[in-house]
Amino acid sequence: MSFDLSDAQWAGFSIVVLGIVLLLATVVRRYVPLFASLFIPTSVIAGFVILLIGPQILGVWTDTDGAIPGEVLAIWATLPGLLINVVFAAVMLGNKLPKPAQIWRASAPHVIFGSALSFGQFALGALAVALILTPFFGVTDLAGSIIEMSFAGGHGTIAGMGPLLAEAGASDLIDLGLGLATISMVTGIVFGSLLVRWAVRNPRIQLARTTPLTGKEVHDLNNAGVDPSERDAEPDNRGMGPVTVALMCIALAIAAAIGTMSLATLGANVPVLIVFTVIAVAWSVTALLFFGPRIHGRDWFEHAIADFGQSQGNVATGFVLADMVDPQRRTNAANAYGYKQLGYEPFLGGGLITAFSVPLIIAWGSLTFGLVSLGLAVGFLAWGVGRRRALDRASARASATDAARS
């Protein structure tokens, strides 16, 4: 399929085609309940639609280039690296921030726990590469940071790191990372939902959603104002609100990233995908159950499940899981998790440290990088546990003092 178009026309045409694919994915999600029940985003479905009708599946079956021109695919391949800037710019856009001290008190456990999760992903991934994947499967040593880049970072991060990986001679890691990022969105929701159901049934875990509302809470909920974002759901509001438009722009990065990844590369690295996925899921689940209550303290599951979601998918996955376990937002988990992004995102999950991980592996090798990351993960965990114990002791002393006075 070929058209005689200018570069500007190709750019515009590629956006139009992407919009059509997103519309088609919306229809698919509406009439396939499984996708909605698993909270699979429309953008992810659109990415697989692109794979299906593109050169890698339809093209192979019909011995053609598929239904999508190569010029369109080339433009789509550049979008994720550009639009990841929109994702970071929109993290706290429109929110009125409290004082820095208040932000830190609320978000400190999230920042500490999230950092420990990310450095743990660096450590386990790099050590797996150095000790297993490189010797037995021939995986490049530069794959040491791919778990953190894809699971905590996501599609946009992998695409943004693409030029650096290609320059380092590891362009196959781009497709491997996109595959892992797609897997992470599914594992985050599936395993997160299973953990929420387990917590609801566990009598030893007190959750906000299973605790009866107090009289004051009922009054507050009945008299709560309408959040501006809820206007998009009103039947009479047939236009798209600003939040919807912003989310559509960010979704373009995920549709374009998934649709342009190489299935051949993924097929040749199935054992590697399995090893990385098992490591990433096992680490996040273990950290949630063992360190979550020791770092977050009160309402620990509501807070820790959000960090779990981010370590397994992206920021939005964390909010989805937090709302599953606390749908009426009776705790401050959602707000504290949102504030976390101010101290976490600039450095990890696609931030500066994530960006520097590849140059550090080039300089040190995955083994040294993994050991250093392991030390940092242990350090953050020790900080989080020690901080929580100190706060609990201070709270106990305050309670004892109040009791003595009364």
Side-chain angles (χ1 to χ4, degrees):
M1 183 184 298
S2 61
F3 302 95
D4 185 16
L5 302 178
S6 65
D7 291 343
Q9 288 173 324
W10 275 119
F13 182 64
S14 67
I15 299 300
V16 171
V17 174
L18 197 56
I20 294 173
V21 174
L22 283 168
L23 178 61
L24 177 61
T26 302
V27 175
V28 171
R29 191 177 189 274
R30 179 176 181 180
Y31 290 102
V32 182
L34 177 64
F35 293 140
S37 63
L38 292 177
F39 298 94
I40 303 298
T42 300
S43 54
V44 173
I45 300 172
F48 285 106
V49 171
I50 293 171
L51 284 177
L52 181 64
I53 65 177
Q56 300 191 67
I57 297 182
L58 180 62
V60 172
W61 290 345
T62 60
D63 197 23
T64 65
D65 292 332
I68 304 175
E71 292 85 351
V72 171
L73 290 172
I75 291 173
W76 285 351
T78 65
L79 290 179
L82 297 174
L83 294 181
I84 187 62
N85 298 297
V86 179
V87 175
F88 284 115
V91 168
M92 296 299 294
L93 194 64
N95 287 342
K96 183 179 179 180
L97 298 179
K99 297 179 180 179
Q102 293 175 308
I103 293 177
W104 175 247
R105 280 197 298 270
S107 67
H110 288 277
V111 174
I112 295 170
F113 189 41
S115 299
L117 285 169
S118 282
F119 279 115
Q121 289 177 340
F122 278 139
L124 295 175
L127 293 176
V129 167
L131 302 177
I132 300 173
L133 298 178
T134 297
F136 295 100
F137 296 96
V139 175
T140 174
D141 194 54
L142 295 177
S145 61
I146 200 69
I147 290 182
E148 203 276 345
M149 282 194 288
S150 54
F151 275 78
H155 297 89
T157 298
I158 292 292
M161 294 289 290
L164 181 59
L165 292 171
E167 184 180 345
S171 56
D172 284 352
L173 289 181
I174 302 172
D175 295 313
L176 186 65
L178 291 175
L180 287 170
T182 304
I183 291 171
S184 75
M185 299 188 75
V186 177
T187 59
I189 290 297
V190 171
F191 284 95
S193 299
L194 291 175
L195 286 166
V196 169
R197 294 185 180 186
W198 167 80
V200 169
R201 292 179 172 86
N202 192 328
R204 294 179 298 176
I205 300 178
Q206 185 176 2
L207 300 178
R209 64 175 290 173
T210 58
T211 304
L213 292 172
T214 65
K216 182 179 184 303
E217 288 176 325
V218 172
H219 177 270
D220 291 342
L221 287 172
N222 290 336
N223 293 276
V226 178
D227 188 88
S229 62
E230 294 179 9
R231 293 180 59 83
D232 288 340
E234 294 177 6
D236 295 336
N237 184 10
R238 304 190 183 277
M240 290 188 296
V243 174
T244 305
V245 175
L247 290 176
M248 286 182 63
C249 292
I250 294 173
L252 294 178
I254 304 175
I258 296 176
T260 54
M261 66 183 177
S262 171
L263 293 181
T265 300
L266 298 182
N269 291 279
V270 171
V272 179
L273 288 170
I274 293 174
V275 170
F276 278 143
T277 300
V278 170
I279 289 174
V281 173
W283 164 239
S284 293
V285 172
T286 301
L288 166 72
L289 298 179
F290 187 80
F291 293 106
R294 291 167 172 80
I295 292 178
H296 280 293
R298 182 180 178 183
D299 301 322
W300 72 268
F301 192 86
E302 288 88 341
H303 288 271
I305 195 66
D307 297 323
F308 169 90
Q310 185 168 14
S311 75
Q312 284 291 299
N314 49 40
V315 177
T317 304
F319 278 115
V320 168
L321 294 178
D323 283 340
M324 278 186 188
V325 75
D326 185 14
Q328 295 171 317
R329 297 201 170 180
R330 297 169 63 188
T331 71
N332 72 331
N335 283 338
Y337 173 67
Y339 293 146
K340 164 198 174 181
Q341 311 312 322
L342 296 174
Y344 172 86
E345 286 288 353
F347 304 101
L348 294 163
L352 292 175
I353 296 176
T354 302
F356 277 110
S357 64
V358 174
L360 288 175
I361 291 176
I362 294 175
W364 297 346
S366 277
L367 181 59
T368 301
F369 177 78
L371 292 174
V372 171
S373 298
L374 180 61
L376 289 170
V378 171
F380 273 104
L381 291 174
W383 179 17
V385 173
R387 181 180 181 276
R388 173 50 51 194
R389 288 176 178 174
L391 290 174
D392 289 342
R393 287 194 297 267
S395 177
R397 286 195 299 268
S399 298
T401 301
D402 291 340
R405 289 176 179 175
S406 61

